[in-house]
Amino acid sequence: MMSRRFLQTTETFATNIKNVIWSVYLKMKRSIWIYFPLIIILSYVLPRILFGDSSSSILFWLIYGAAVGFGTLIWIKYKAKKVAGTDKPEIYEPRQKRTITVLLGYKKAFEVCRQAVDSLNPAQIKVENFSDGILKFRTPFHLHNFGHNVTVNLKKLTENLTEIEISTLPIPRIARVDSGYSWKIVEDFCNFVQAEDAVINQKLLIESATILDDVYVKPFQKEKV
């Protein structure tokens, strides 16, 4: 009886500890103010611990790592706001993904996506596959980042409806924070595609209204006269 109760208590305690650790991990993952400086601190401190440095040396590198981590993060946040023009939390994510749906046929949607990539000058297209609906391009090296690999996937939903997914990967892939460039690539691409979609469909509506007027309204008016 005692052993069963002890096991139950131990299991409950272990579950609670696991939940607390997981909760802390999720909060750290969401907050770049926690995990980014922590990564920098560990990169400075761990080698000193492994090489058996003195406690004063480890303390120095801990403080130095914290200063570098927070200083770098303050600069990244300033740059990201400037690049993205907003202070949304997602602008710091190096990996971006967005899906939009346009009222365009598959062929026309592919053409518009191709134009959107060209508008992101000087992006370089690496892969262009119409049958599979894939566009892959790379953005150039900047002073504050090494560029991004971007993939666009198109999916035909109906004859006049196409789904477009755009995703980015930082260079190098181990990057954990971004200066707003990845978010801006996706934002500019989607804005271009949606603007073209609106222009094309507005033009079609005007043409359809003109045809309806010519076929149904004008002949009826003539008969009435």
Side-chain angles (χ1 to χ4, degrees):
M1 186 75 179
M2 276 290 290
S3 61
R4 184 181 295 178
R5 189 175 297 173
F6 176 76
L7 285 172
Q8 288 176 347
T9 305
T10 305
E11 287 177 3
T12 304
F13 178 75
T15 302
N16 291 336
I17 292 295
K18 182 181 176 183
N19 291 336
V20 169
I21 293 171
W22 182 248
S23 177
V24 171
Y25 168 74
L26 288 177
K27 287 179 180 178
M28 286 176 60
K29 191 176 178 183
R30 291 191 193 105
S31 176
I32 58 174
W33 287 103
I34 298 174
Y35 73 78
F36 183 78
L38 184 60
I39 290 170
I40 302 296
I41 290 168
L42 290 175
S43 69
Y44 281 107
V45 172
L46 283 180
R48 272 71 195 179
I49 295 174
L50 293 174
F51 289 123
D53 283 16
S54 64
S55 57
S56 59
S57 174
I58 292 171
L59 179 62
F60 168 80
W61 286 109
L62 189 149
I63 296 170
Y64 182 80
V68 171
F70 283 108
T72 303
L73 195 55
I74 289 168
W75 168 251
I76 287 172
K77 284 180 73 69
Y78 164 77
K79 188 63 183 177
K81 287 181 187 178
K82 193 173 180 181
V83 170
T86 181
D87 193 24
K88 295 178 180 178
E90 56 265 29
I91 67 175
Y92 309 107
E93 292 292 331
R95 292 163 182 79
Q96 298 281 340
K97 182 182 283 189
R98 200 175 304 179
T99 303
I100 58 174
T101 303
V102 292
L103 284 166
L104 299 172
Y106 178 82
K107 183 179 179 181
K108 191 62 181 176
F110 194 90
E111 291 175 5
V112 170
C113 287
R114 184 68 171 76
Q115 293 169 11
V117 176
D118 290 337
S119 73
L120 299 173
N121 186 44
Q124 294 181 334
I125 291 180
K126 300 294 183 181
V127 177
E128 184 174 354
N129 191 320
F130 177 79
S131 57
D132 292 336
I134 297 173
L135 275 170
K136 291 185 179 181
F137 62 95
R138 179 174 175 170
T139 59
F141 170 86
H142 284 282
L143 180 62
H144 304 288
N145 72 77
F146 293 96
H148 296 80
N149 287 315
V150 188
T151 302
V152 179
N153 290 297
L154 288 88
K155 181 182 178 182
K156 180 180 177 181
L157 300 178
T158 65
E159 287 300 319
N160 296 305
L161 200 63
T162 306
E163 182 182 270
I164 301 168
E165 180 190 88
I166 177 171
S167 57
T168 64
L169 277 175
I171 303 171
R173 294 192 178 190
I174 60 171
R176 288 294 174 267
V177 66
D178 191 77
S179 300
Y181 288 100
S182 187
W183 184 87
K184 187 166 173 35
I185 290 166
V186 173
E187 185 74 4
D188 289 348
F189 180 92
C190 291
N191 285 343
F192 184 96
V193 171
Q194 289 173 328
E196 286 296 308
D197 177 37
V199 169
I200 292 168
N201 281 289
Q202 186 180 30
K203 186 178 178 182
L204 288 173
L205 283 171
I206 293 170
E207 290 175 354
S208 299
T210 304
I211 292 169
L212 286 170
D213 189 57
D214 292 339
V215 173
Y216 296 104
V217 179
K218 288 181 181 178
F220 178 76
Q221 288 175 340
K222 288 179 182 178
E223 288 177 6
K224 197 172 182 180
V225 173

